[in-house]
Amino acid sequence: MAIKNLKDLYLDQLRDIYSACKQSMPVVTEMGRASKSKKLSEALIASNQGTADGMEVLAALCSDHGVDPTGEHCKGMEGLVVEARKHALETEYADEDAQDAAIITQYQRMAHYAIAGYGCVRTFANRLGLDGDAARLQECLDATWDGDRTMTEIAEGGVNKAATT
């Protein structure tokens, strides 16, 4: 699809974020299974539900504008998923808490990518006068920020301290 204007870019980026979300879910599930912290594991499971909810919003917005949400492949998230597997799952850890700290690190890198994406498309929607779209995207952005803050709380609330002993 040739991008001729901001609306085309908006639709392209909705599809890109949809792809990013879809790619992130399996590795988040794997990291949840690998986590030794029950609190971290539960937070990762909850984040996947939030990601699925976001994908529903993205799919609905795409449908409202007559585009297929699955028509894009996000190379950025592809790289982040490779990094998450390498650093959080495939690296050998002698300390389970250090691995949990790595899991949080990799999760937050993926979350920050999603935050950037949601923020951009929300801003595009505002500029295009798509107030309903912007409101729904703001909810997705807020939920993603909440997940990021939860991971910071888990890290600061014990995982990082346990990993240093």
Side-chain angles (χ1 to χ4, degrees):
M1 166 172 116
I3 296 176
K4 297 174 266 173
N5 53 40
L6 188 62
K7 176 80 179 273
D8 288 349
L9 180 59
Y10 170 67
L11 297 175
D12 177 72
Q13 290 301 294
L14 288 177
R15 295 165 61 200
D16 193 70
I17 298 167
Y18 184 89
S19 171
C21 290
K22 187 174 183 177
Q23 289 179 63
S24 73
M25 291 181 71
V27 76
V28 170
T29 297
E30 292 172 45
M31 291 190 302
R33 289 184 188 133
S35 170
K36 303 310 179 255
S37 163
K38 183 177 181 189
K39 189 172 186 177
L40 176 55
S41 182
E42 289 171 350
L44 291 165
I45 291 166
S47 81
N48 258 355
Q49 182 55 56
T51 300
D53 294 345
M55 287 177 69
E56 286 181 21
V57 170
L58 293 166
L61 293 176
C62 284
S63 178
D64 291 348
H65 295 285
V67 297
D68 179 1
T70 64
E72 183 70 33
H73 179 75
C74 179
K75 297 292 262 177
M77 186 57 75
E78 179 182 337
L80 290 168
V81 167
V82 167
E83 289 294 301
R85 282 202 171 90
K86 177 182 176 188
H87 295 290
L89 300 170
E90 296 168 358
T91 296
E92 185 176 329
Y93 286 91
D95 181 316
E96 295 173 343
D97 296 308
Q99 183 177 14
D100 281 353
I103 288 169
I104 292 168
T105 299
Q106 297 306 314
Y107 172 85
Q108 286 189 301
R109 287 180 178 183
M110 290 187 292
H112 291 187
Y113 189 84
I115 288 165
Y118 278 125
C120 289
V121 292
R122 187 259 349 256
T123 301
F124 293 162
N126 279 329
R127 178 67 185 132
L128 293 166
L130 303 170
D131 298 337
D133 288 17
R136 295 182 77 189
L137 291 164
Q138 183 63 53
E139 290 172 7
C140 293
L141 180 58
D142 291 343
T144 307
W145 270 116
D146 287 345
D148 180 64
R149 281 190 286 273
T150 296
M151 291 299 161
T152 297
E153 290 168 7
I154 293 169
E156 293 175 347
V159 167
N160 290 353
K161 182 179 179 183
T164 60
T165 57

